[in-house]
Amino acid sequence: MTGVPASAAGGSGAKPVRGGKLGTAAVNQASLWNIANILTMVRLLLVPGFVLLLFHNGGYDPAWRSFAWAAFAIAMITDLFDGHLARTYNLVTDFGKIADPIADKAIMGAALVSLSILGDLPWWITGVIIARELGITLMRFWVIRHAVIPASRGGKLKTLAQGTAAGMYVLALTGPLATLRFWVMMVAVVLTVVTGLDYVRQAVVLRRQGLAAERAAAAARAADATEALRAAAPAGAVAAVTDARPDEAEPRSETADIPAGAFDVRSGAAEARGGAEAER
């Protein structure tokens, strides 16, 4: 469980340059069936095989537990190799992004649950580790729209400690080695909790930053839209619409709508009435 998706997209016929990286065109043309994805699928297939070997002959046969340890070790090693290949050759596919973390958590979860069923590992240790892994996975999806939480050094050290401790518990160890594996598991539990809290902090910060960036982008788009309307409207029209207020509007004159000729008619009638009165 390195935290880096071991996904791939090779198989296009183009041979990668040793120590180099494939170009974008080669990656886009690549097939789903490549070495990184194949290693991820092998790790998935090893999960049921590991469980069968561990529980064979009652689950306490040292020989069969050694075989189970070999399957577990191969699964953990493939996790290192497919991640390295994916990073080195840009072998990224959607399948790998989903299958790699599932394979990581499946092999570790199967080991912890199986050991607890056999009574070799306390259930509270299994619960803490599995709850942390599932919680961080859900948290990654919670913030994936804003940013990707990168794998930290502490997370990689946690993975190494978990794999080492679980592997030691799979083996039928006694004496000082049995005591040593307990303390290695305690170190793994502490790293599991500490790195989990750090991931929570990172997730909260990244989500806040993402929401703030979205609000800033929305405000910028609104400002651009306003400027576009001002530029498209006739000169002074936008200012008149936006600046005018009902209480500042000029009062209309009572004679504003009277035709100009009406005044001449009225004045002529008044003069006629004045002349008639004078004759009397």
Side-chain angles (χ1 to χ4, degrees), residues 216-231:
R221 287 194 297 269
D224 292 341
T226 302
E227 291 298 327
L229 288 175
R230 288 180 179 275

Side-chain angles (χ1 to χ4, degrees), residues 183-274:
W183 290 110
V184 174
M185 182 59 77
M186 289 301 99
V187 172
V189 171
V190 171
L191 289 174
T192 298
V193 174
V194 171
T195 56
L197 294 176
D198 183 61
Y199 276 125
V200 171
R201 181 191 62 80
Q202 292 186 56
V204 172
V205 172
L206 289 174
R207 182 172 174 82
R208 287 178 178 175
Q209 292 176 348
L211 292 175
E214 288 181 355
R215 287 192 292 267
R221 287 194 297 269
D224 292 341
T226 302
E227 291 298 327
L229 288 175
R230 288 180 179 275
V238 175
V241 172
T242 56
D243 296 338
R245 292 181 176 85
D247 55 350
E248 295 178 357
E250 296 182 359
R252 295 183 59 186
S253 172
E254 294 180 356
T255 60
D257 296 332
I258 299 176
F263 292 101
D264 298 335
V265 173
R266 289 181 180 179
S267 60
E271 292 177 357
R273 284 196 299 271

Side-chain angles (χ1 to χ4, degrees), residues 43 46-47 50 72 75-76 102-112:
R43 191 160 69 258
L46 282 173
V47 174
F50 161 76
F72 180 80
M76 299 304 293
I102 291 176
D104 296 342
K105 290 166 178 57
I107 188 63
M108 183 59 66
L112 296 174

Side-chain angles (χ1 to χ4, degrees), residues 150-161:
S152 63
R153 292 184 178 179
K156 295 177 181 179
L157 185 60
K158 176 269 306 178
T159 299
L160 178 61

Side-chain angles (χ1 to χ4, degrees), residues 4-250:
V4 179
S7 45
S12 62
K15 297 182 179 180
V17 179
R18 180 172 299 182
K21 296 183 179 180
L22 291 179
T24 304
V27 172
N28 293 337
Q29 297 174 1
S31 168
L32 177 69
W33 297 95
N34 56 72
I35 186 60
N37 278 356
I38 290 174
L39 289 176
T40 300
M41 288 184 282
V42 167
R43 191 160 69 258
L44 283 170
L45 294 176
L46 282 173
V47 174
F50 161 76
V51 173
L52 292 175
L53 291 171
L54 183 61
F55 282 96
H56 189 77
N57 201 17
Y60 299 100
D61 189 324
W64 285 103
R65 292 188 71 145
S66 298
F67 294 143
W69 177 86
F72 180 80
I74 292 172
M76 299 304 293
I77 291 173
T78 58
D79 181 35
L80 298 177
F81 276 102
D82 61 9
H84 174 73
L85 291 171
R87 290 190 301 269
T88 302
Y89 296 103
N90 293 330
L91 304 177
V92 178
T93 62
D94 292 336
F95 170 81
K97 293 178 183 178
I98 298 173
D100 181 72
I102 291 176
D104 296 342
K105 290 166 178 57
I107 188 63
M108 183 59 66
L112 296 174
V113 171
S114 299
L115 290 169
S116 294
I117 291 174
L118 292 173
D120 295 336
L121 187 67
W123 275 105
W124 71 267
I125 294 179
T126 298
V128 167
I129 294 178
I130 291 181
R132 185 269 190 195
E133 298 299 336
L134 293 179
I136 295 304
T137 299
L138 294 176
M139 190 163 296
R140 288 180 183 276
F141 284 109
W142 182 55
V143 301
I144 195 171
R145 184 166 63 92
H146 306 289
V148 176
I149 303 176
S152 63
R153 292 184 178 179
K156 295 177 181 179
L157 185 60
K158 176 269 306 178
T159 299
L160 178 61
Q162 285 183 359
T164 302
M168 294 178 71
Y169 269 90
V170 170
L171 291 172
L173 301 179
T174 58
L177 290 177
T179 303
L180 177 62
R181 73 183 181 182
F182 171 78
W183 290 110
V184 174
M185 182 59 77
M186 289 301 99
V187 172
V189 171
V190 171
L191 289 174
T192 298
V193 174
V194 171
T195 56
L197 294 176
D198 183 61
Y199 276 125
V200 171
R201 181 191 62 80
Q202 292 186 56
V204 172
V205 172
L206 289 174
R207 182 172 174 82
R208 287 178 178 175
Q209 292 176 348
L211 292 175
E214 288 181 355
R215 287 192 292 267
R221 287 194 297 269
D224 292 341
T226 302
E227 291 298 327
L229 288 175
R230 288 180 179 275
V238 175
V241 172
T242 56
D243 296 338
R245 292 181 176 85
D247 55 350
E248 295 178 357
E250 296 182 359

